[in-house]
Amino acid sequence: MIIQRRTLLGGFAGSATASVVGRARAAATPQKGGTLNVSAFSDVTSFDPATGRSGDDHLVLYTIYDTLIDYDFDTLRAVPNLASAWSFPDPKTLVLQLRQGVQFHDGTPFDGAAVKFNLDRIRQLPRSTIRADVGSLDTVEVISPNEVHLHLKQPDTALPLILSDRAGMMVSPTAAQHYGDNFDRHPVGTGAMRFVEWRDGERSVVARNEKYWKPNRPYLDGINFVVLPELQIGLRSLLTSENDFIYALDPLQLAVVKRSSKLVAVVSTSLLCQLLYFNLSTPPLNDVRVRQAINYAIDRDAFGKATGGLYSVADMLLPAQHWAYDKALVGRYKHDPDQARQLLAAAGHADGVDLAWFTYDDQAWQQRAEVLIEQLKAVNIRVHLTSASNPEVTSQFFQQKQGNVNLSSWSGRPDPSLTYSLMFGSDSFFNPGHGVTPGLDEAIAATRVSSDLGARAAAFAKVQQMVLDNALFAPLIFQPQIVAHATKVKGYRPTLLGKPRFDDVFLSA
Amino acid sequence: MTVQGWINPLGRRLAEVIPVILLATFLVFGLQQLVPGDLAVTLAGENATPQRVQEIRDFYGLNQPLIVQYAHWLANAAHGDLSRSLLSGVPVSRSIAEKLPNTLLIVVGALVMAMAAGIPLGVAAARWRGSLADAAVSVLSSLGVAMPNFWLAMILVSIFAIGLQWLPSTGSTPFIQAPLDSLRHAVLPALALAVAGAGEVARQVRSALGEVLQSQFVRTLRAKGLKPASILWKHGVRNISVTLLTVLGLLFNRMLAATVVVEAVFAIPGIGTLVVQAALAKDFPVVQGVVLVMVLLVIATNLIVDLFCALLDPRVIRT
């Protein structure tokens, strides 16, 4: 059985009915008990949210830590969590009202002092990997146990959603001080689950927090995250009933799920966008016309169909469900080979152009590259492809600034301002040539000034318009988050961020 | 045999240990520097500024000259401290102590299976040389040796794990915690490794035993009227024990290396998986630690095999 969320059905090719979801939900009454076995393709890099190095850690971290602010699963709007309310009395002050009566797993009370400790810690810890996330933060003032004021260096209305990420995950000050550098071996949060065991490269185990502040949660007694790096092997472990849940499957693996009566697939939109990164500073891609020609030469629908068939076309870096999505930009680069040839000729490349590309050396990326190479060949863009491992491509393209194009993906961030500043900021790692687009840095900064969502969406529309007009990248398709789980697993709700959460998951008898 | 007779080869072996360890660890350390990627960038997080990356490089000592980093690691290792993983912060010795038993269980299991199947097959082929049984053993052992273990592993999984659901298809359980479950997890990976080993053993036994059975003393034994079974097992097989031990030692070392692939197919958290993940992430203390332990294991195996060979056949020591 394949379930696609009604709200997320959007542009996906494929034919599933939303009513299946309704029936599946109505039939299941939540019940407590049981342990969920999850096949995870990567191990946690650190149980300390301040020192982790992978966005895939969230799968486990979300169970142990609550964030100050959460996001709505469907739209990624900020919603209350440990902070029951927040406001910007002036553009440079964020006031957080804190939930009362919450305790960390070790009994330490969660209060204003704990928030200050956490926000200071992530900026002071030598091994911190998230200092830059809270770069706008100047000081934290504890007004009362239930209220803190965050004084900012400059306006930053992206901060609430940044606090729904690692930076907002609250660790117990008592445990962090007690364990010091070893805190990631003894993590303590306020989350639905408490830490039990971490066997490196093997498994992580969490168990129910009996004193959890959310009523009647969690349903599960515990979760085992079993590290199985190969998705094929992970899916196999579901077929043999060794595990109950797997995520990030390839569309081609859906056929295996379909054949099994024991498994259910859930396909949902995520922010994961397949795209072409450009080096904007070296010829020929320092000419906007060549970049635009590439965008016009790509038939995104054909690409999506040829590479698994489950996709929605990416016109920008945000899918249609997102609050900052701008309809006006849909179809900005419709497939138009003639236009591509004209642009190339105008740029002095009437005989075509040669480009050095990178992509990853696994089968799926090879296939994607092959499809694009054929499409670009039609307008006389000749691709010279180098395939390598992820670290090698990262090293050569982003660090050593070799090649013109990198066929890869972007996993998205809770607040889109992070996405745009990380990908196109003039000094960003992911902008390898450090190509400067006049006015873009300022336009991105402007998205963090207003706290009104409508005003922010308008500011993002301007950023997105600039990014597309200058063809700073070539969006391809949004890759769905494909989850498969045993039929006994109920209550799973996908998130637009694409990271699985187990907040409402339970096991039926 | 004199004590001196034992000490000389033993001493010679032990004297080889230090240069081999130095050479192996230095080569591996040097090769790791060729792997692309900057660990400091990984450790600094994705939003890090170049200044932050430099801070991280200084903090972890990654800015020191390579030879200094190697010397630092070597000095610690000489004191029994294999350092900590740069990525996880876990002591390398602890990681190895956790993972090595999983690997050894598979390798020892595979060796037992290889011997249990290979010896009877080899003996049968030698006993009935030129017969249909001999031809069948030759074909089977060639097939066993030629069959890639990862392919066989996948076939075994599809039959015994997915189809019949008799055995688990992934992971492992520590032997001390749950011996039976641990063995259940080890059966399929050990079998995947054992098939090539069984083919190798059968071939070697057939060849060595064939020679023994055609030798003068066996002819004499037959002439004296000894039962064929007694000649075969008591005199024949005993005379090929040195060959068997040597094959056993070689197989152990080879299987230790082959587990890297089999562990990947069965997602077993063994020492092969540990070293592959560490090498990909440029976590050099882990790679160095595993290489050191592997080298020590291989040297120790060879030494033990030599000693037993000398015990079984004192002529070995003089050669």
Side-chain angles (χ1 to χ4, degrees), chain A residues 350-398:
Chain A
D351 297 334
V353 69
D354 293 271
L355 293 175
W357 277 38
F358 286 104
T359 197
Y360 308 121
D361 51 9
D362 62 272
Q363 193 186 344
W365 284 106
Q366 289 299 302
Q367 192 190 3
R368 287 166 194 146
E370 282 165 18
V371 175
L372 291 173
I373 288 170
E374 284 305 311
Q375 291 187 357
L376 294 176
K377 201 189 275 177
V379 299
N380 225 1
I381 294 175
R382 297 174 291 271
V383 173
H384 305 275
L385 181 70
T386 301
S387 307
S389 65
N390 191 325
E392 192 169 346
V393 170
T394 302
S395 168
Q396 294 199 27
F397 185 76
F398 291 115

Short mmCIF file of all heavy atoms in Angstrom, two decimals, chain A residues 350-398:
data_model
loop_
_atom_site.label_atom_id
_atom_site.label_comp_id
_atom_site.label_asym_id
_atom_site.label_seq_id
_atom_site.Cartn_x
_atom_site.Cartn_y
_atom_site.Cartn_z
N ALA A 350 28.32 30.07 -30.21
CA ALA A 350 27.44 29.54 -31.25
C ALA A 350 27.77 28.08 -31.57
O ALA A 350 26.91 27.31 -31.99
CB ALA A 350 27.55 30.40 -32.51
N ASP A 351 29.03 27.71 -31.36
CA ASP A 351 29.44 26.32 -31.63
C ASP A 351 29.26 25.42 -30.41
O ASP A 351 29.76 24.29 -30.39
CB ASP A 351 30.92 26.27 -32.05
CG ASP A 351 31.15 27.01 -33.35
OD1 ASP A 351 30.18 27.11 -34.13
OD2 ASP A 351 32.27 27.52 -33.56
N GLY A 352 28.62 25.94 -29.43
CA GLY A 352 28.42 25.16 -28.21
C GLY A 352 29.49 25.48 -27.18
O GLY A 352 30.36 26.31 -27.40
N VAL A 353 29.36 24.80 -26.04
CA VAL A 353 30.25 25.10 -24.93
C VAL A 353 30.59 23.81 -24.18
O VAL A 353 29.77 22.88 -24.15
CB VAL A 353 29.58 26.17 -24.02
CG1 VAL A 353 28.37 25.61 -23.29
CG2 VAL A 353 30.56 26.77 -23.04
N ASP A 354 31.79 23.77 -23.62
CA ASP A 354 32.22 22.58 -22.85
C ASP A 354 32.18 22.90 -21.36
O ASP A 354 32.64 23.97 -20.94
CB ASP A 354 33.65 22.19 -23.23
CG ASP A 354 33.72 21.69 -24.65
OD1 ASP A 354 33.54 20.48 -24.85
OD2 ASP A 354 33.90 22.53 -25.57
N LEU A 355 31.62 21.98 -20.59
CA LEU A 355 31.53 22.19 -19.14
C LEU A 355 32.09 20.99 -18.38
O LEU A 355 31.83 19.85 -18.74
CB LEU A 355 30.06 22.37 -18.72
CG LEU A 355 29.33 23.62 -19.23
CD1 LEU A 355 27.86 23.55 -18.81
CD2 LEU A 355 29.97 24.88 -18.67
N ALA A 356 32.86 21.29 -17.32
CA ALA A 356 33.37 20.22 -16.45
C ALA A 356 32.39 20.03 -15.30
O ALA A 356 32.11 20.96 -14.55
CB ALA A 356 34.74 20.62 -15.92
N TRP A 357 31.84 18.83 -15.20
CA TRP A 357 30.82 18.53 -14.19
C TRP A 357 31.35 17.54 -13.16
O TRP A 357 32.17 16.68 -13.47
CB TRP A 357 29.62 17.83 -14.84
CG TRP A 357 28.62 18.74 -15.47
CD1 TRP A 357 28.87 19.88 -16.16
CD2 TRP A 357 27.20 18.54 -15.51
NE1 TRP A 357 27.69 20.39 -16.63
CE2 TRP A 357 26.67 19.61 -16.24
CE3 TRP A 357 26.35 17.56 -14.99
CZ2 TRP A 357 25.29 19.73 -16.47
CZ3 TRP A 357 24.99 17.69 -15.23
CH2 TRP A 357 24.46 18.76 -15.95
N PHE A 358 30.79 17.66 -11.99
CA PHE A 358 30.99 16.63 -10.96
C PHE A 358 29.64 16.04 -10.58
O PHE A 358 28.63 16.74 -10.61
CB PHE A 358 31.61 17.23 -9.69
CG PHE A 358 33.05 17.58 -9.81
CD1 PHE A 358 33.46 18.90 -9.95
CD2 PHE A 358 34.02 16.58 -9.77
CE1 PHE A 358 34.80 19.21 -10.07
CE2 PHE A 358 35.36 16.90 -9.89
CZ PHE A 358 35.75 18.22 -10.03
N THR A 359 29.68 14.78 -10.24
CA THR A 359 28.53 14.21 -9.51
C THR A 359 29.03 13.01 -8.72
O THR A 359 30.22 12.67 -8.77
CB THR A 359 27.36 13.83 -10.43
OG1 THR A 359 26.18 13.67 -9.63
CG2 THR A 359 27.60 12.52 -11.19
N TYR A 360 28.14 12.37 -7.98
CA TYR A 360 28.55 11.26 -7.11
C TYR A 360 28.61 9.96 -7.91
O TYR A 360 27.96 9.82 -8.95
CB TYR A 360 27.60 11.14 -5.92
CG TYR A 360 27.45 12.46 -5.20
CD1 TYR A 360 26.21 13.07 -5.06
CD2 TYR A 360 28.57 13.13 -4.71
CE1 TYR A 360 26.09 14.30 -4.43
CE2 TYR A 360 28.45 14.35 -4.09
CZ TYR A 360 27.20 14.94 -3.96
OH TYR A 360 27.09 16.16 -3.36
N ASP A 361 29.34 9.00 -7.35
CA ASP A 361 29.63 7.81 -8.16
C ASP A 361 28.67 6.65 -7.93
O ASP A 361 28.95 5.54 -8.32
CB ASP A 361 31.08 7.35 -7.93
CG ASP A 361 31.40 7.21 -6.46
OD1 ASP A 361 30.46 7.29 -5.65
OD2 ASP A 361 32.58 7.03 -6.12
N ASP A 362 27.51 6.91 -7.31
CA ASP A 362 26.56 5.81 -7.17
C ASP A 362 25.62 5.78 -8.38
O ASP A 362 25.57 6.72 -9.17
CB ASP A 362 25.77 5.90 -5.87
CG ASP A 362 24.94 7.14 -5.80
OD1 ASP A 362 25.46 8.18 -5.34
OD2 ASP A 362 23.80 7.11 -6.23
N GLN A 363 24.90 4.68 -8.48
CA GLN A 363 24.10 4.43 -9.69
C GLN A 363 23.05 5.51 -9.94
O GLN A 363 22.86 5.96 -11.06
CB GLN A 363 23.42 3.07 -9.53
CG GLN A 363 22.83 2.55 -10.82
CD GLN A 363 22.05 1.26 -10.60
OE1 GLN A 363 22.19 0.63 -9.56
NE2 GLN A 363 21.23 0.89 -11.55
N ALA A 364 22.38 5.95 -8.86
CA ALA A 364 21.29 6.91 -9.02
C ALA A 364 21.81 8.23 -9.60
O ALA A 364 21.22 8.79 -10.54
CB ALA A 364 20.61 7.15 -7.68
N TRP A 365 22.92 8.72 -9.07
CA TRP A 365 23.45 10.00 -9.58
C TRP A 365 24.00 9.85 -10.99
O TRP A 365 23.94 10.78 -11.80
CB TRP A 365 24.51 10.56 -8.62
CG TRP A 365 23.88 11.17 -7.40
CD1 TRP A 365 23.86 10.66 -6.14
CD2 TRP A 365 23.12 12.40 -7.35
NE1 TRP A 365 23.14 11.47 -5.30
CE2 TRP A 365 22.68 12.55 -6.01
CE3 TRP A 365 22.76 13.36 -8.28
CZ2 TRP A 365 21.91 13.64 -5.59
CZ3 TRP A 365 22.00 14.45 -7.86
CH2 TRP A 365 21.58 14.58 -6.54
N GLN A 366 24.56 8.68 -11.28
CA GLN A 366 25.05 8.44 -12.64
C GLN A 366 23.90 8.53 -13.63
O GLN A 366 24.02 9.13 -14.68
CB GLN A 366 25.68 7.03 -12.73
CG GLN A 366 26.99 6.89 -11.99
CD GLN A 366 28.05 7.82 -12.54
OE1 GLN A 366 28.37 7.77 -13.70
NE2 GLN A 366 28.55 8.70 -11.71
N GLN A 367 22.78 7.93 -13.24
CA GLN A 367 21.62 7.93 -14.13
C GLN A 367 21.11 9.36 -14.34
O GLN A 367 20.78 9.76 -15.46
CB GLN A 367 20.53 7.05 -13.51
CG GLN A 367 19.41 6.75 -14.47
CD GLN A 367 18.23 6.09 -13.77
OE1 GLN A 367 18.22 5.91 -12.55
NE2 GLN A 367 17.23 5.74 -14.55
N ARG A 368 21.07 10.12 -13.25
CA ARG A 368 20.60 11.51 -13.36
C ARG A 368 21.51 12.29 -14.30
O ARG A 368 21.05 13.07 -15.14
CB ARG A 368 20.59 12.16 -11.96
CG ARG A 368 19.47 11.64 -11.09
CD ARG A 368 19.64 12.02 -9.63
NE ARG A 368 18.73 11.23 -8.81
CZ ARG A 368 18.98 10.80 -7.59
NH1 ARG A 368 20.13 11.09 -7.00
NH2 ARG A 368 18.10 10.08 -6.93
N ALA A 369 22.82 12.08 -14.14
CA ALA A 369 23.77 12.80 -14.98
C ALA A 369 23.57 12.43 -16.45
O ALA A 369 23.58 13.30 -17.33
CB ALA A 369 25.20 12.49 -14.54
N GLU A 370 23.37 11.14 -16.72
CA GLU A 370 23.21 10.69 -18.10
C GLU A 370 22.02 11.38 -18.77
O GLU A 370 22.10 11.81 -19.92
CB GLU A 370 23.02 9.18 -18.14
CG GLU A 370 24.32 8.41 -17.98
CD GLU A 370 24.10 6.94 -17.67
OE1 GLU A 370 22.99 6.45 -17.92
OE2 GLU A 370 25.05 6.31 -17.17
N VAL A 371 20.90 11.49 -18.03
CA VAL A 371 19.71 12.11 -18.60
C VAL A 371 20.00 13.58 -18.95
O VAL A 371 19.68 14.06 -20.04
CB VAL A 371 18.52 12.02 -17.61
CG1 VAL A 371 17.32 12.77 -18.14
CG2 VAL A 371 18.17 10.56 -17.34
N LEU A 372 20.63 14.28 -18.01
CA LEU A 372 20.91 15.70 -18.23
C LEU A 372 21.92 15.91 -19.36
O LEU A 372 21.80 16.84 -20.16
CB LEU A 372 21.44 16.34 -16.94
CG LEU A 372 20.41 16.46 -15.82
CD1 LEU A 372 21.07 16.93 -14.53
CD2 LEU A 372 19.30 17.44 -16.21
N ILE A 373 22.91 15.03 -19.43
CA ILE A 373 23.93 15.16 -20.49
C ILE A 373 23.26 15.08 -21.86
O ILE A 373 23.55 15.86 -22.76
CB ILE A 373 25.01 14.06 -20.32
CG1 ILE A 373 25.89 14.39 -19.11
CG2 ILE A 373 25.86 13.94 -21.57
CD1 ILE A 373 26.82 13.26 -18.70
N GLU A 374 22.31 14.15 -22.00
CA GLU A 374 21.61 14.01 -23.27
C GLU A 374 20.77 15.25 -23.58
O GLU A 374 20.73 15.72 -24.71
CB GLU A 374 20.70 12.77 -23.24
CG GLU A 374 21.46 11.46 -23.39
CD GLU A 374 22.33 11.41 -24.63
OE1 GLU A 374 21.83 11.73 -25.73
OE2 GLU A 374 23.53 11.09 -24.50
N GLN A 375 20.11 15.79 -22.56
CA GLN A 375 19.27 16.98 -22.77
C GLN A 375 20.13 18.17 -23.20
O GLN A 375 19.76 18.95 -24.08
CB GLN A 375 18.50 17.32 -21.50
CG GLN A 375 17.42 16.30 -21.15
CD GLN A 375 16.55 16.74 -19.98
OE1 GLN A 375 16.78 17.78 -19.38
NE2 GLN A 375 15.57 15.93 -19.64
N LEU A 376 21.28 18.31 -22.56
CA LEU A 376 22.14 19.46 -22.85
C LEU A 376 22.85 19.31 -24.20
O LEU A 376 23.14 20.30 -24.87
CB LEU A 376 23.16 19.66 -21.73
CG LEU A 376 22.54 20.06 -20.38
CD1 LEU A 376 23.60 20.14 -19.30
CD2 LEU A 376 21.82 21.40 -20.48
N LYS A 377 23.07 18.06 -24.56
CA LYS A 377 23.73 17.80 -25.85
C LYS A 377 22.88 18.38 -27.00
O LYS A 377 23.40 18.85 -28.00
CB LYS A 377 23.90 16.28 -26.04
CG LYS A 377 24.98 15.92 -27.05
CD LYS A 377 24.96 14.45 -27.36
CE LYS A 377 25.74 13.62 -26.35
NZ LYS A 377 25.65 12.18 -26.65
N ALA A 378 21.55 18.36 -26.80
CA ALA A 378 20.65 18.85 -27.84
C ALA A 378 20.86 20.33 -28.15
O ALA A 378 20.50 20.79 -29.23
CB ALA A 378 19.20 18.60 -27.41
N VAL A 379 21.40 21.08 -27.21
CA VAL A 379 21.65 22.51 -27.49
C VAL A 379 23.16 22.75 -27.61
O VAL A 379 23.63 23.89 -27.50
CB VAL A 379 21.03 23.43 -26.42
CG1 VAL A 379 19.54 23.27 -26.36
CG2 VAL A 379 21.66 23.20 -25.06
N ASN A 380 23.89 21.67 -27.79
CA ASN A 380 25.34 21.77 -28.01
C ASN A 380 26.11 22.18 -26.74
O ASN A 380 27.13 22.86 -26.83
CB ASN A 380 25.65 22.73 -29.15
CG ASN A 380 26.68 22.14 -30.08
OD1 ASN A 380 27.13 21.01 -29.86
ND2 ASN A 380 27.08 22.88 -31.09
N ILE A 381 25.58 21.81 -25.59
CA ILE A 381 26.37 21.97 -24.35
C ILE A 381 26.98 20.61 -24.08
O ILE A 381 26.27 19.63 -23.89
CB ILE A 381 25.49 22.43 -23.17
CG1 ILE A 381 24.95 23.83 -23.43
CG2 ILE A 381 26.31 22.41 -21.87
CD1 ILE A 381 23.97 24.32 -22.37
N ARG A 382 28.31 20.58 -24.12
CA ARG A 382 29.02 19.29 -23.98
C ARG A 382 29.52 19.14 -22.55
O ARG A 382 30.26 20.00 -22.04
CB ARG A 382 30.19 19.24 -24.97
CG ARG A 382 29.74 19.28 -26.43
CD ARG A 382 30.91 19.38 -27.37
NE ARG A 382 31.58 20.68 -27.29
CZ ARG A 382 31.25 21.76 -28.01
NH1 ARG A 382 30.25 21.69 -28.89
NH2 ARG A 382 31.90 22.89 -27.87
N VAL A 383 29.08 18.08 -21.92
CA VAL A 383 29.41 17.86 -20.50
C VAL A 383 30.55 16.86 -20.38
O VAL A 383 30.53 15.80 -21.00
CB VAL A 383 28.17 17.33 -19.75
CG1 VAL A 383 28.55 16.93 -18.33
CG2 VAL A 383 27.08 18.39 -19.72
N HIS A 384 31.55 17.22 -19.59
CA HIS A 384 32.66 16.30 -19.28
C HIS A 384 32.53 15.93 -17.81
O HIS A 384 32.82 16.75 -16.93
CB HIS A 384 34.00 16.96 -19.58
CG HIS A 384 34.08 17.47 -21.00
ND1 HIS A 384 34.45 16.66 -22.05
CD2 HIS A 384 33.78 18.69 -21.54
CE1 HIS A 384 34.39 17.35 -23.18
NE2 HIS A 384 33.98 18.58 -22.90
N LEU A 385 32.05 14.72 -17.58
CA LEU A 385 31.63 14.35 -16.22
C LEU A 385 32.74 13.65 -15.44
O LEU A 385 33.41 12.77 -15.96
CB LEU A 385 30.42 13.40 -16.34
CG LEU A 385 29.81 12.93 -15.03
CD1 LEU A 385 29.10 14.06 -14.30
CD2 LEU A 385 28.81 11.79 -15.29
N THR A 386 32.89 14.06 -14.19
CA THR A 386 33.77 13.35 -13.26
C THR A 386 32.90 12.84 -12.11
O THR A 386 32.18 13.63 -11.50
CB THR A 386 34.85 14.29 -12.68
OG1 THR A 386 35.60 14.82 -13.74
CG2 THR A 386 35.77 13.54 -11.72
N SER A 387 32.95 11.54 -11.87
CA SER A 387 32.16 10.97 -10.78
C SER A 387 33.09 10.58 -9.65
O SER A 387 34.16 10.02 -9.89
CB SER A 387 31.42 9.72 -11.25
OG SER A 387 30.69 10.01 -12.39
N ALA A 388 32.69 10.90 -8.45
CA ALA A 388 33.55 10.59 -7.30
C ALA A 388 32.69 10.47 -6.05
O ALA A 388 31.49 10.72 -6.09
CB ALA A 388 34.59 11.68 -7.13
N SER A 389 33.33 10.10 -4.95
CA SER A 389 32.61 9.97 -3.69
C SER A 389 32.20 11.36 -3.20
O SER A 389 32.75 12.37 -3.64
CB SER A 389 33.51 9.31 -2.65
OG SER A 389 34.61 10.16 -2.37
N ASN A 390 31.28 11.38 -2.26
CA ASN A 390 30.78 12.64 -1.74
C ASN A 390 31.91 13.54 -1.19
O ASN A 390 32.01 14.70 -1.57
CB ASN A 390 29.72 12.35 -0.66
CG ASN A 390 28.96 13.59 -0.25
OD1 ASN A 390 29.54 14.67 -0.21
ND2 ASN A 390 27.69 13.45 0.04
N PRO A 391 32.81 13.00 -0.32
CA PRO A 391 33.87 13.88 0.20
C PRO A 391 34.78 14.41 -0.91
O PRO A 391 35.24 15.54 -0.85
CB PRO A 391 34.67 12.96 1.15
CG PRO A 391 33.78 11.82 1.44
CD PRO A 391 32.86 11.67 0.28
N GLU A 392 35.00 13.58 -1.93
CA GLU A 392 35.90 14.01 -3.00
C GLU A 392 35.27 15.12 -3.83
O GLU A 392 35.92 16.10 -4.18
CB GLU A 392 36.25 12.80 -3.88
CG GLU A 392 37.39 13.11 -4.83
CD GLU A 392 37.93 11.88 -5.52
OE1 GLU A 392 37.60 10.75 -5.08
OE2 GLU A 392 38.66 12.04 -6.50
N VAL A 393 33.97 14.96 -4.15
CA VAL A 393 33.29 16.00 -4.92
C VAL A 393 33.26 17.30 -4.11
O VAL A 393 33.55 18.38 -4.62
CB VAL A 393 31.85 15.55 -5.28
CG1 VAL A 393 31.05 16.72 -5.86
CG2 VAL A 393 31.88 14.40 -6.27
N THR A 394 32.94 17.18 -2.82
CA THR A 394 32.90 18.36 -1.96
C THR A 394 34.27 19.04 -1.96
O THR A 394 34.37 20.27 -2.08
CB THR A 394 32.52 17.95 -0.52
OG1 THR A 394 31.26 17.29 -0.59
CG2 THR A 394 32.40 19.15 0.39
N SER A 395 35.31 18.24 -1.83
CA SER A 395 36.66 18.79 -1.78
C SER A 395 37.01 19.48 -3.09
O SER A 395 37.50 20.61 -3.10
CB SER A 395 37.64 17.65 -1.49
OG SER A 395 38.95 18.08 -1.69
N GLN A 396 36.75 18.81 -4.21
CA GLN A 396 37.19 19.36 -5.49
C GLN A 396 36.35 20.55 -5.93
O GLN A 396 36.89 21.55 -6.40
CB GLN A 396 37.18 18.27 -6.56
CG GLN A 396 38.22 17.20 -6.28
CD GLN A 396 38.56 16.38 -7.52
OE1 GLN A 396 38.45 16.84 -8.63
NE2 GLN A 396 38.98 15.15 -7.31
N PHE A 397 35.03 20.45 -5.78
CA PHE A 397 34.18 21.50 -6.32
C PHE A 397 34.08 22.69 -5.36
O PHE A 397 34.28 23.84 -5.76
CB PHE A 397 32.79 20.95 -6.64
CG PHE A 397 31.89 21.97 -7.31
CD1 PHE A 397 32.07 22.29 -8.66
CD2 PHE A 397 30.89 22.61 -6.61
CE1 PHE A 397 31.27 23.23 -9.27
CE2 PHE A 397 30.08 23.56 -7.22
CZ PHE A 397 30.27 23.86 -8.56
N PHE A 398 33.76 22.41 -4.09
CA PHE A 398 33.51 23.52 -3.16
C PHE A 398 34.80 24.08 -2.53
O PHE A 398 34.91 25.28 -2.32
CB PHE A 398 32.53 23.09 -2.06
CG PHE A 398 31.14 22.84 -2.56
CD1 PHE A 398 30.59 21.57 -2.52
CD2 PHE A 398 30.38 23.87 -3.10
CE1 PHE A 398 29.31 21.33 -3.01
CE2 PHE A 398 29.10 23.65 -3.58
CZ PHE A 398 28.56 22.37 -3.53
#
